[in-house]
């Protein structure tokens, strides 16, 4: 680039890579053996072999050689971080389900007279159940949007502070969050639903 040939023998490049898997190892041995879809996946993922291949594409008179000890250590660290994030997510979902179960059960107990009156004037268990679930879903969706926004904000702060790089948000995050909200809401509502279905108008309205 500077027009000074034969003065640079080696350049070290540091890159945040994705841990190697079977696809990356096959590509490192023989890139031509990959199918078109496998090639696109490998080429567009930050595998160390893909990065080395793309460097050689640009610098045709140079050889890119991965330092596997460093990349494997970075990959192992990233793998442990991903596992930690997964465990934290599972624990957060469990805590959310327990908190939701307590809140909904308390709400059903507080509104037992109202629910008993609805049943007494002709509402079925399904009608009351749908009413409670609709109220619950509205609250859960509002909480999901707030949590999603806070999560993006915190991830950007953590990415810039810890890793020194911006963290891109995957397009699959929104449907995944929606599915998790529905799952946690239904799971946390099961004890309250059981209590709701057991309420009898004659007993509730007489204070029993």
């Amino acid at each position: 680039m500077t027009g000074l040939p034969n003065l640079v023998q080696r350049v070290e490049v540091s890159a945040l890579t994705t841990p190697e898997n079977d696809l990356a190892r096959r590509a490192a041995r023989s890139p031509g053996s990959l199918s078109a879809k496998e090639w696109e996946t490998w080429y567009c993922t930050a595998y160390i072999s893909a990065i080395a291949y793309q460097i050689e594409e640009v610098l045709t008179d140079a050889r890119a050689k991965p330092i596997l000890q460093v990349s494997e250590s970075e990959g192992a660290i990233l793998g442990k971080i991903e596992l930690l994030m997964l465990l934290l997510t599972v624990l957060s979902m469990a805590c959310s389900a327990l908190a939701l179960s307590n809140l909904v059960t308390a709400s059903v107990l507080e509104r037992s007279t109202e629910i008993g009156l609805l049943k007494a004037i002709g509402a079925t268990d399904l009608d009351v159940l749908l009413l409670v679930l609709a109220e619950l879903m509205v609250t859960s969706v509002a909480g999901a949007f707030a949590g999603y926004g806070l999560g993006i904000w915190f991830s950007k702060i953590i990415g810039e502070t810890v890793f020194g790089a911006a963290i891109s948000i995957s397009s699959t995050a929104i449907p995944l969050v929606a599915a998790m909200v529905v799952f946690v809401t239904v799971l946390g509502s099961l004890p309250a639903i059981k209590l709701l279905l057991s309420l009898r108008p004659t007993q509730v309205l007489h204070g029993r």
Side-chain angles (χ1 to χ4, degrees):
M1 291 175 64
T2 59
L4 302 173
N6 301 322
L7 294 182
V8 176
Q9 294 181 341
R10 182 176 67 182
V11 175
E12 292 186 358
V13 178
S14 177
L16 188 62
T17 61
T18 300
E20 297 283 286
N21 56 13
D22 181 64
L23 173 62
R25 287 187 285 270
R26 286 195 294 117
R29 290 193 300 268
S30 177
S33 64
L34 302 180
S35 65
K37 185 176 181 180
E38 289 176 334
W39 171 270
E40 182 180 359
T41 301
W42 171 74
Y43 193 87
C44 296
T45 305
Y47 296 119
I48 189 170
S49 55
I51 294 174
Y53 182 86
Q54 293 172 37
I55 290 175
E56 291 183 347
E57 279 187 321
V58 178
L59 304 176
T60 56
D61 57 345
R63 181 188 176 196
K65 182 180 179 181
I67 304 176
L68 297 179
Q69 292 86 350
V70 176
S71 65
E72 288 174 357
S73 299
E74 291 179 348
I77 293 173
L78 287 176
K80 291 180 180 179
I81 291 176
E82 289 180 356
L83 179 59
L84 177 62
M85 292 297 102
L86 178 61
L87 291 175
L88 288 176
T89 302
V90 172
L91 290 175
S92 298
M93 290 178 63
C95 292
S96 299
L98 289 173
L100 188 62
S101 175
N102 291 332
L103 289 173
V104 177
T105 301
S107 176
V108 170
L109 289 175
E110 290 177 359
R111 301 169 61 185
S112 58
T113 303
E114 174 188 345
I115 294 172
L117 183 60
L118 287 174
K119 289 185 176 183
I121 61 176
T124 63
D125 287 338
L126 181 60
D127 294 332
V128 177
L129 180 60
L130 291 177
L131 174 63
V132 173
L133 287 178
E135 296 175 353
L136 189 59
M137 281 295 177
V138 170
T139 306
S140 299
V141 169
F145 276 109
Y148 183 74
L150 288 174
I152 293 176
W153 182 63
F154 276 117
S155 66
K156 289 183 177 180
I157 292 177
I158 293 173
E160 294 175 357
T161 304
V162 178
F163 300 103
I167 296 179
S168 59
I169 306 301
S170 174
S171 59
T172 59
I174 295 178
L176 183 61
V177 168
M180 291 171 63
V181 167
V182 174
F183 175 75
V184 171
T185 301
V186 173
L187 182 64
S189 303
L190 291 179
I193 291 174
K194 184 179 179 180
L195 175 63
L196 178 65
L197 296 178
S198 66
L199 292 177
R200 295 292 177 262
T202 52
Q203 295 176 346
V204 173
L205 296 178
H206 284 82
R208 297 177 185 176

